[in-house]
Amino acid sequence: MPVHLGLPAPPAPPRRATRHVMVGAVPVGGGAPISVQSMTTTVTADVDATLQQIAELTAAGCQIVRVAVPSRDDADALAVIARKSQIPVIADIHFQPKYVFAAIDAGCAAVRVNPGNIKRFDDKVKEIAKAATAAGIPIRIGVNAGSLDPRLLAKHGRATPEALVESALWECSLFEEHGFTDIKISVKHHDPATMVAAYRLLAERCDYPLHLGVTEAGPLLQGSIKSAVAFTQLLTEGIGDTIRVSLSAPPVEEIKAGVGILASLGLRERSLEIVSCPSCGRAQVDVYRLTEQVAAAFDGFPHPLRVAVMGCVVNGPGEAREADLGVSSGNGKGQIFVRGRTVRTVPESGIVEALVEEALRLAEETETAAEPVRATDPEPAEPGGPS
């Protein structure tokens, strides 16, 4: 169990009330914690490669994973992947409705369908609802700006928030006609402002749990920024039940970004957080190099911890005191702080080692203090003594 160190997380914003669905063992909506998911980049038919990537995602904190199913070979691989994956697997279906049924039969935890590009999808809703009901799995109706139903593009002229929401709710109504409401919805757009407007409108018009995403967000930095901007607006309004940060980067980076966004909003227990100065002409240490060394040394540290790495005496001591653990560097030395107290000064070459030592000591002290005091049994009476 993690030891709760130092500063508390910010208060979490109130959540929008929604229906509740189960994606395998992961609850979505209905007040459940916001889950983080990603999508594999492997060819799904390559079972070993796909399972290896799922394992990497799981280790990074991914809770739900989606796999693409564009071919029969991919569909045939689903049963093994769903059975061996450590986290619930969602099958991502486009174009061919027959693969929806294949995914359900394979034991996937959920199916994502894109109504805008599945052939004669509306005609298949009754069969899909019946199969999903029998299997006890939810359906995500995923509407994307880049693959919006041509009828709605013609009506609205482009992929407006209104067009995205109309598409999603129309498909929901078709499922509802057959008594199926085990549904999640996404209305994704590459433009954060349009995406935010679409989700706000959707949140007003239904109580289904919502999957947040800025689609085609871009490379690592740009995509993370766009997603953070959009997600923060919605999540602070209580909108959103599961998220994916879509990046042109390795999927593990999506999980890191998603977890970081939730932690910064108080929606996920914070883990390691490094507060470091951007460096300037006052710095008397190579802040970039020192920060990288500290980050590497604390990689995998199992307890929530805020570590300040500062390079001068202007903001350094103050920031270091505010963190769980910190260093203010200068003149070839590092002043080490623990919970606001100066505990020692070390040579610059010993800063990283000293921080790790103090982190381990702090965790041990906190864990010991948290252990319940056990009542001791009374001493047994001496033979022949008072009873």
mmCIF file of all heavy atoms in Angstrom, residues 120-159:
data_model
loop_
_atom_site.group_PDB
_atom_site.id
_atom_site.type_symbol
_atom_site.label_atom_id
_atom_site.label_comp_id
_atom_site.label_asym_id
_atom_site.label_seq_id
_atom_site.Cartn_x
_atom_site.Cartn_y
_atom_site.Cartn_z
ATOM 1 N N ARG A 120 -24.625 -0.110 -43.143
ATOM 2 C CA ARG A 120 -25.999 -0.430 -42.750
ATOM 3 C C ARG A 120 -26.097 -0.691 -41.250
ATOM 4 O O ARG A 120 -26.764 -1.619 -40.790
ATOM 5 C CB ARG A 120 -26.517 -1.640 -43.538
ATOM 6 C CG ARG A 120 -26.509 -1.425 -45.054
ATOM 7 C CD ARG A 120 -27.041 -2.648 -45.795
ATOM 8 N NE ARG A 120 -28.452 -2.915 -45.440
ATOM 9 C CZ ARG A 120 -29.490 -2.305 -45.997
ATOM 10 N NH1 ARG A 120 -29.311 -1.369 -46.911
ATOM 11 N NH2 ARG A 120 -30.721 -2.627 -45.637
ATOM 12 N N PHE A 121 -25.401 0.192 -40.471
ATOM 13 C CA PHE A 121 -25.347 -0.029 -39.024
ATOM 14 C C PHE A 121 -26.735 -0.004 -38.394
ATOM 15 O O PHE A 121 -27.064 -0.840 -37.545
ATOM 16 C CB PHE A 121 -24.454 1.032 -38.365
ATOM 17 C CG PHE A 121 -24.354 0.881 -36.877
ATOM 18 C CD1 PHE A 121 -23.563 -0.107 -36.318
ATOM 19 C CD2 PHE A 121 -25.082 1.709 -36.025
ATOM 20 C CE1 PHE A 121 -23.479 -0.260 -34.942
ATOM 21 C CE2 PHE A 121 -25.001 1.562 -34.653
ATOM 22 C CZ PHE A 121 -24.188 0.581 -34.110
ATOM 23 N N ASP A 122 -27.550 0.977 -38.782
ATOM 24 C CA ASP A 122 -28.865 1.115 -38.151
ATOM 25 C C ASP A 122 -29.703 -0.154 -38.298
ATOM 26 O O ASP A 122 -30.496 -0.491 -37.409
ATOM 27 C CB ASP A 122 -29.619 2.303 -38.738
ATOM 28 C CG ASP A 122 -28.957 3.641 -38.385
ATOM 29 O OD1 ASP A 122 -27.966 3.623 -37.622
ATOM 30 O OD2 ASP A 122 -29.416 4.692 -38.869
ATOM 31 N N ASP A 123 -29.512 -0.864 -39.387
ATOM 32 C CA ASP A 123 -30.273 -2.094 -39.611
ATOM 33 C C ASP A 123 -29.821 -3.227 -38.691
ATOM 34 O O ASP A 123 -30.534 -4.220 -38.528
ATOM 35 C CB ASP A 123 -30.121 -2.557 -41.067
ATOM 36 C CG ASP A 123 -30.693 -1.542 -42.060
ATOM 37 O OD1 ASP A 123 -31.534 -0.725 -41.638
ATOM 38 O OD2 ASP A 123 -30.305 -1.578 -43.235
ATOM 39 N N LYS A 124 -28.624 -3.080 -38.107
ATOM 40 C CA LYS A 124 -28.056 -4.146 -37.279
ATOM 41 C C LYS A 124 -28.232 -3.904 -35.781
ATOM 42 O O LYS A 124 -27.841 -4.738 -34.968
ATOM 43 C CB LYS A 124 -26.560 -4.292 -37.585
ATOM 44 C CG LYS A 124 -26.242 -4.682 -39.027
ATOM 45 C CD LYS A 124 -26.645 -6.120 -39.300
ATOM 46 C CE LYS A 124 -26.233 -6.555 -40.700
ATOM 47 N NZ LYS A 124 -26.632 -7.946 -40.986
ATOM 48 N N VAL A 125 -28.813 -2.754 -35.429
ATOM 49 C CA VAL A 125 -28.880 -2.386 -34.024
ATOM 50 C C VAL A 125 -29.626 -3.432 -33.193
ATOM 51 O O VAL A 125 -29.196 -3.798 -32.095
ATOM 52 C CB VAL A 125 -29.516 -0.995 -33.861
ATOM 53 C CG1 VAL A 125 -29.879 -0.747 -32.399
ATOM 54 C CG2 VAL A 125 -28.560 0.074 -34.348
ATOM 55 N N LYS A 126 -30.748 -3.930 -33.700
ATOM 56 C CA LYS A 126 -31.535 -4.900 -32.942
ATOM 57 C C LYS A 126 -30.708 -6.141 -32.632
ATOM 58 O O LYS A 126 -30.698 -6.628 -31.484
ATOM 59 C CB LYS A 126 -32.785 -5.296 -33.722
ATOM 60 C CG LYS A 126 -33.670 -6.297 -32.980
ATOM 61 C CD LYS A 126 -34.928 -6.619 -33.780
ATOM 62 C CE LYS A 126 -35.813 -7.617 -33.035
ATOM 63 N NZ LYS A 126 -37.062 -7.918 -33.798
ATOM 64 N N GLU A 127 -29.984 -6.648 -33.625
ATOM 65 C CA GLU A 127 -29.169 -7.850 -33.417
ATOM 66 C C GLU A 127 -28.012 -7.577 -32.454
ATOM 67 O O GLU A 127 -27.689 -8.412 -31.594
ATOM 68 C CB GLU A 127 -28.615 -8.342 -34.752
ATOM 69 C CG GLU A 127 -29.659 -8.828 -35.738
ATOM 70 C CD GLU A 127 -29.013 -9.188 -37.060
ATOM 71 O OE1 GLU A 127 -28.090 -10.032 -37.054
ATOM 72 O OE2 GLU A 127 -29.412 -8.621 -38.092
ATOM 73 N N ILE A 128 -27.380 -6.397 -32.613
ATOM 74 C CA ILE A 128 -26.261 -6.047 -31.736
ATOM 75 C C ILE A 128 -26.741 -5.907 -30.298
ATOM 76 O O ILE A 128 -26.108 -6.408 -29.357
ATOM 77 C CB ILE A 128 -25.585 -4.745 -32.215
ATOM 78 C CG1 ILE A 128 -24.893 -4.977 -33.571
ATOM 79 C CG2 ILE A 128 -24.577 -4.245 -31.181
ATOM 80 C CD1 ILE A 128 -24.358 -3.709 -34.213
ATOM 81 N N ALA A 129 -27.886 -5.234 -30.106
ATOM 82 C CA ALA A 129 -28.432 -5.060 -28.754
ATOM 83 C C ALA A 129 -28.742 -6.404 -28.114
ATOM 84 O O ALA A 129 -28.458 -6.617 -26.926
ATOM 85 C CB ALA A 129 -29.690 -4.193 -28.815
ATOM 86 N N LYS A 130 -29.292 -7.318 -28.890
ATOM 87 C CA LYS A 130 -29.627 -8.633 -28.359
ATOM 88 C C LYS A 130 -28.372 -9.398 -27.949
ATOM 89 O O LYS A 130 -28.311 -9.994 -26.862
ATOM 90 C CB LYS A 130 -30.404 -9.430 -29.416
ATOM 91 C CG LYS A 130 -30.832 -10.818 -28.954
ATOM 92 C CD LYS A 130 -31.620 -11.536 -30.052
ATOM 93 C CE LYS A 130 -32.023 -12.947 -29.603
ATOM 94 N NZ LYS A 130 -32.778 -13.663 -30.674
ATOM 95 N N ALA A 131 -27.343 -9.360 -28.809
ATOM 96 C CA ALA A 131 -26.101 -10.085 -28.514
ATOM 97 C C ALA A 131 -25.375 -9.482 -27.318
ATOM 98 O O ALA A 131 -24.859 -10.198 -26.449
ATOM 99 C CB ALA A 131 -25.198 -10.085 -29.746
ATOM 100 N N ALA A 132 -25.324 -8.132 -27.252
ATOM 101 C CA ALA A 132 -24.635 -7.479 -26.139
ATOM 102 C C ALA A 132 -25.369 -7.713 -24.824
ATOM 103 O O ALA A 132 -24.742 -7.904 -23.774
ATOM 104 C CB ALA A 132 -24.506 -5.984 -26.415
ATOM 105 N N THR A 133 -26.689 -7.711 -24.871
ATOM 106 C CA THR A 133 -27.481 -7.983 -23.665
ATOM 107 C C THR A 133 -27.207 -9.393 -23.158
ATOM 108 O O THR A 133 -27.000 -9.607 -21.955
ATOM 109 C CB THR A 133 -28.978 -7.812 -23.957
ATOM 110 O OG1 THR A 133 -29.230 -6.460 -24.346
ATOM 111 C CG2 THR A 133 -29.811 -8.153 -22.734
ATOM 112 N N ALA A 134 -27.191 -10.349 -24.068
ATOM 113 C CA ALA A 134 -26.950 -11.744 -23.672
ATOM 114 C C ALA A 134 -25.563 -11.921 -23.069
ATOM 115 O O ALA A 134 -25.373 -12.711 -22.137
ATOM 116 C CB ALA A 134 -27.127 -12.657 -24.880
ATOM 117 N N ALA A 135 -24.591 -11.175 -23.593
ATOM 118 C CA ALA A 135 -23.218 -11.292 -23.096
ATOM 119 C C ALA A 135 -22.964 -10.410 -21.877
ATOM 120 O O ALA A 135 -21.939 -10.564 -21.200
ATOM 121 C CB ALA A 135 -22.231 -10.924 -24.205
ATOM 122 N N GLY A 136 -23.869 -9.462 -21.616
ATOM 123 C CA GLY A 136 -23.705 -8.572 -20.477
ATOM 124 C C GLY A 136 -22.585 -7.572 -20.650
ATOM 125 O O GLY A 136 -21.875 -7.253 -19.691
ATOM 126 N N ILE A 137 -22.401 -7.056 -21.875
ATOM 127 C CA ILE A 137 -21.323 -6.101 -22.111
ATOM 128 C C ILE A 137 -21.888 -4.791 -22.663
ATOM 129 O O ILE A 137 -22.914 -4.778 -23.334
ATOM 130 C CB ILE A 137 -20.256 -6.653 -23.082
ATOM 131 C CG1 ILE A 137 -20.821 -6.804 -24.506
ATOM 132 C CG2 ILE A 137 -19.690 -7.961 -22.586
ATOM 133 C CD1 ILE A 137 -19.757 -7.083 -25.527
ATOM 134 N N PRO A 138 -21.216 -3.674 -22.382
ATOM 135 C CA PRO A 138 -21.673 -2.386 -22.885
ATOM 136 C C PRO A 138 -21.175 -2.094 -24.298
ATOM 137 O O PRO A 138 -20.231 -2.731 -24.790
ATOM 138 C CB PRO A 138 -21.078 -1.392 -21.895
ATOM 139 C CG PRO A 138 -19.816 -2.061 -21.427
ATOM 140 C CD PRO A 138 -20.100 -3.540 -21.431
ATOM 141 N N ILE A 139 -21.826 -1.124 -24.913
ATOM 142 C CA ILE A 139 -21.437 -0.634 -26.236
ATOM 143 C C ILE A 139 -21.015 0.813 -26.100
ATOM 144 O O ILE A 139 -21.710 1.607 -25.454
ATOM 145 C CB ILE A 139 -22.611 -0.713 -27.236
ATOM 146 C CG1 ILE A 139 -23.082 -2.167 -27.419
ATOM 147 C CG2 ILE A 139 -22.241 -0.075 -28.565
ATOM 148 C CD1 ILE A 139 -22.134 -3.035 -28.198
ATOM 149 N N ARG A 140 -19.862 1.163 -26.669
ATOM 150 C CA ARG A 140 -19.532 2.592 -26.766
ATOM 151 C C ARG A 140 -19.891 3.090 -28.147
ATOM 152 O O ARG A 140 -19.399 2.561 -29.145
ATOM 153 C CB ARG A 140 -18.050 2.879 -26.503
ATOM 154 C CG ARG A 140 -17.718 4.364 -26.793
ATOM 155 C CD ARG A 140 -16.485 4.861 -26.106
ATOM 156 N NE ARG A 140 -15.253 4.417 -26.698
ATOM 157 C CZ ARG A 140 -14.565 5.115 -27.609
ATOM 158 N NH1 ARG A 140 -15.024 6.247 -28.101
ATOM 159 N NH2 ARG A 140 -13.414 4.652 -28.056
ATOM 160 N N ILE A 141 -20.733 4.089 -28.187
ATOM 161 C CA ILE A 141 -21.048 4.757 -29.443
ATOM 162 C C ILE A 141 -20.030 5.877 -29.603
ATOM 163 O O ILE A 141 -20.060 6.872 -28.877
ATOM 164 C CB ILE A 141 -22.489 5.291 -29.434
ATOM 165 C CG1 ILE A 141 -23.471 4.114 -29.365
ATOM 166 C CG2 ILE A 141 -22.754 6.148 -30.657
ATOM 167 C CD1 ILE A 141 -24.909 4.514 -29.207
ATOM 168 N N GLY A 142 -19.117 5.680 -30.538
ATOM 169 C CA GLY A 142 -18.020 6.620 -30.722
ATOM 170 C C GLY A 142 -18.178 7.420 -31.991
ATOM 171 O O GLY A 142 -17.983 6.894 -33.090
ATOM 172 N N VAL A 143 -18.540 8.678 -31.847
ATOM 173 C CA VAL A 143 -18.723 9.560 -32.994
ATOM 174 C C VAL A 143 -17.473 10.411 -33.159
ATOM 175 O O VAL A 143 -17.023 11.047 -32.209
ATOM 176 C CB VAL A 143 -19.960 10.462 -32.800
ATOM 177 C CG1 VAL A 143 -20.120 11.412 -33.987
ATOM 178 C CG2 VAL A 143 -21.216 9.617 -32.623
ATOM 179 N N ASN A 144 -16.903 10.416 -34.349
ATOM 180 C CA ASN A 144 -15.697 11.188 -34.649
ATOM 181 C C ASN A 144 -15.983 12.217 -35.730
ATOM 182 O O ASN A 144 -16.723 11.945 -36.680
ATOM 183 C CB ASN A 144 -14.569 10.272 -35.134
ATOM 184 C CG ASN A 144 -13.739 9.720 -33.995
ATOM 185 O OD1 ASN A 144 -14.199 9.647 -32.867
ATOM 186 N ND2 ASN A 144 -12.524 9.316 -34.299
ATOM 187 N N ALA A 145 -15.357 13.384 -35.597
ATOM 188 C CA ALA A 145 -15.528 14.425 -36.611
ATOM 189 C C ALA A 145 -15.077 13.942 -37.988
ATOM 190 O O ALA A 145 -15.676 14.294 -39.004
ATOM 191 C CB ALA A 145 -14.735 15.669 -36.210
ATOM 192 N N GLY A 146 -14.038 13.106 -38.023
ATOM 193 C CA GLY A 146 -13.497 12.670 -39.301
ATOM 194 C C GLY A 146 -14.277 11.575 -39.982
ATOM 195 O O GLY A 146 -13.983 11.229 -41.139
ATOM 196 N N SER A 147 -15.259 11.004 -39.302
ATOM 197 C CA SER A 147 -16.046 9.925 -39.905
ATOM 198 C C SER A 147 -17.519 10.069 -39.545
ATOM 199 O O SER A 147 -18.194 9.103 -39.230
ATOM 200 C CB SER A 147 -15.517 8.560 -39.461
ATOM 201 O OG SER A 147 -15.439 8.490 -38.046
ATOM 202 N N LEU A 148 -17.986 11.305 -39.586
ATOM 203 C CA LEU A 148 -19.383 11.586 -39.254
ATOM 204 C C LEU A 148 -20.298 11.065 -40.350
ATOM 205 O O LEU A 148 -19.944 11.060 -41.527
ATOM 206 C CB LEU A 148 -19.572 13.088 -39.079
ATOM 207 C CG LEU A 148 -20.915 13.573 -38.529
ATOM 208 C CD1 LEU A 148 -21.152 13.052 -37.115
ATOM 209 C CD2 LEU A 148 -20.965 15.102 -38.536
ATOM 210 N N ASP A 149 -21.484 10.634 -39.951
ATOM 211 C CA ASP A 149 -22.490 10.154 -40.900
ATOM 212 C C ASP A 149 -22.698 11.197 -42.000
ATOM 213 O O ASP A 149 -22.945 12.379 -41.706
ATOM 214 C CB ASP A 149 -23.801 9.908 -40.159
ATOM 215 C CG ASP A 149 -24.840 9.200 -40.996
ATOM 216 O OD1 ASP A 149 -25.073 9.639 -42.137
ATOM 217 O OD2 ASP A 149 -25.425 8.222 -40.507
ATOM 218 N N PRO A 150 -22.593 10.804 -43.273
ATOM 219 C CA PRO A 150 -22.744 11.766 -44.382
ATOM 220 C C PRO A 150 -24.059 12.532 -44.338
ATOM 221 O O PRO A 150 -24.124 13.688 -44.768
ATOM 222 C CB PRO A 150 -22.650 10.876 -45.627
ATOM 223 C CG PRO A 150 -21.868 9.676 -45.189
ATOM 224 C CD PRO A 150 -22.244 9.463 -43.755
ATOM 225 N N ARG A 151 -25.102 11.898 -43.831
ATOM 226 C CA ARG A 151 -26.395 12.584 -43.756
ATOM 227 C C ARG A 151 -26.320 13.792 -42.828
ATOM 228 O O ARG A 151 -26.918 14.840 -43.103
ATOM 229 C CB ARG A 151 -27.472 11.608 -43.278
ATOM 230 C CG ARG A 151 -27.757 10.460 -44.227
ATOM 231 C CD ARG A 151 -28.610 9.394 -43.571
ATOM 232 N NE ARG A 151 -27.905 8.730 -42.476
ATOM 233 C CZ ARG A 151 -28.402 7.724 -41.769
ATOM 234 N NH1 ARG A 151 -29.627 7.259 -42.043
ATOM 235 N NH2 ARG A 151 -27.706 7.172 -40.796
ATOM 236 N N LEU A 152 -25.585 13.659 -41.740
ATOM 237 C CA LEU A 152 -25.471 14.765 -40.797
ATOM 238 C C LEU A 152 -24.483 15.822 -41.279
ATOM 239 O O LEU A 152 -24.654 17.012 -40.991
ATOM 240 C CB LEU A 152 -25.066 14.231 -39.425
ATOM 241 C CG LEU A 152 -26.165 13.400 -38.759
ATOM 242 C CD1 LEU A 152 -25.638 12.666 -37.542
ATOM 243 C CD2 LEU A 152 -27.332 14.288 -38.363
ATOM 244 N N LEU A 153 -23.471 15.388 -42.005
ATOM 245 C CA LEU A 153 -22.574 16.372 -42.624
ATOM 246 C C LEU A 153 -23.343 17.245 -43.601
ATOM 247 O O LEU A 153 -23.163 18.478 -43.655
ATOM 248 C CB LEU A 153 -21.424 15.663 -43.346
ATOM 249 C CG LEU A 153 -20.205 15.272 -42.519
ATOM 250 C CD1 LEU A 153 -19.198 14.523 -43.383
ATOM 251 C CD2 LEU A 153 -19.547 16.508 -41.899
ATOM 252 N N ALA A 154 -24.216 16.618 -44.391
ATOM 253 C CA ALA A 154 -25.018 17.373 -45.354
ATOM 254 C C ALA A 154 -25.970 18.337 -44.634
ATOM 255 O O ALA A 154 -26.172 19.473 -45.068
ATOM 256 C CB ALA A 154 -25.798 16.415 -46.240
ATOM 257 N N LYS A 155 -26.524 17.896 -43.514
ATOM 258 C CA LYS A 155 -27.493 18.719 -42.777
ATOM 259 C C LYS A 155 -26.830 19.916 -42.107
ATOM 260 O O LYS A 155 -27.351 21.044 -42.161
ATOM 261 C CB LYS A 155 -28.200 17.858 -41.733
ATOM 262 C CG LYS A 155 -29.159 18.638 -40.843
ATOM 263 C CD LYS A 155 -29.821 17.716 -39.813
ATOM 264 C CE LYS A 155 -30.724 18.524 -38.870
ATOM 265 N NZ LYS A 155 -31.377 17.646 -37.855
ATOM 266 N N HIS A 156 -25.669 19.689 -41.463
ATOM 267 C CA HIS A 156 -25.034 20.735 -40.668
ATOM 268 C C HIS A 156 -23.910 21.455 -41.404
ATOM 269 O O HIS A 156 -23.444 22.496 -40.928
ATOM 270 C CB HIS A 156 -24.492 20.142 -39.369
ATOM 271 C CG HIS A 156 -25.555 19.678 -38.430
ATOM 272 N ND1 HIS A 156 -26.150 20.499 -37.499
ATOM 273 C CD2 HIS A 156 -26.160 18.470 -38.297
ATOM 274 C CE1 HIS A 156 -27.057 19.818 -36.815
ATOM 275 N NE2 HIS A 156 -27.085 18.575 -37.269
ATOM 276 N N GLY A 157 -23.466 20.917 -42.525
ATOM 277 C CA GLY A 157 -22.419 21.556 -43.305
ATOM 278 C C GLY A 157 -21.015 21.173 -42.900
ATOM 279 O O GLY A 157 -20.096 21.202 -43.709
ATOM 280 N N ARG A 158 -20.825 20.800 -41.669
ATOM 281 C CA ARG A 158 -19.525 20.354 -41.159
ATOM 282 C C ARG A 158 -19.747 19.644 -39.822
ATOM 283 O O ARG A 158 -20.889 19.565 -39.343
ATOM 284 C CB ARG A 158 -18.546 21.520 -41.002
ATOM 285 C CG ARG A 158 -19.037 22.604 -40.073
ATOM 286 C CD ARG A 158 -18.142 23.834 -40.122
ATOM 287 N NE ARG A 158 -18.644 24.903 -39.276
ATOM 288 C CZ ARG A 158 -18.393 25.041 -37.984
ATOM 289 N NH1 ARG A 158 -17.592 24.160 -37.373
ATOM 290 N NH2 ARG A 158 -18.900 26.042 -37.302
ATOM 291 N N ALA A 159 -18.654 19.170 -39.223
ATOM 292 C CA ALA A 159 -18.767 18.426 -37.967
ATOM 293 C C ALA A 159 -18.875 19.399 -36.800
ATOM 294 O O ALA A 159 -17.933 19.603 -36.025
ATOM 295 C CB ALA A 159 -17.579 17.494 -37.792
#
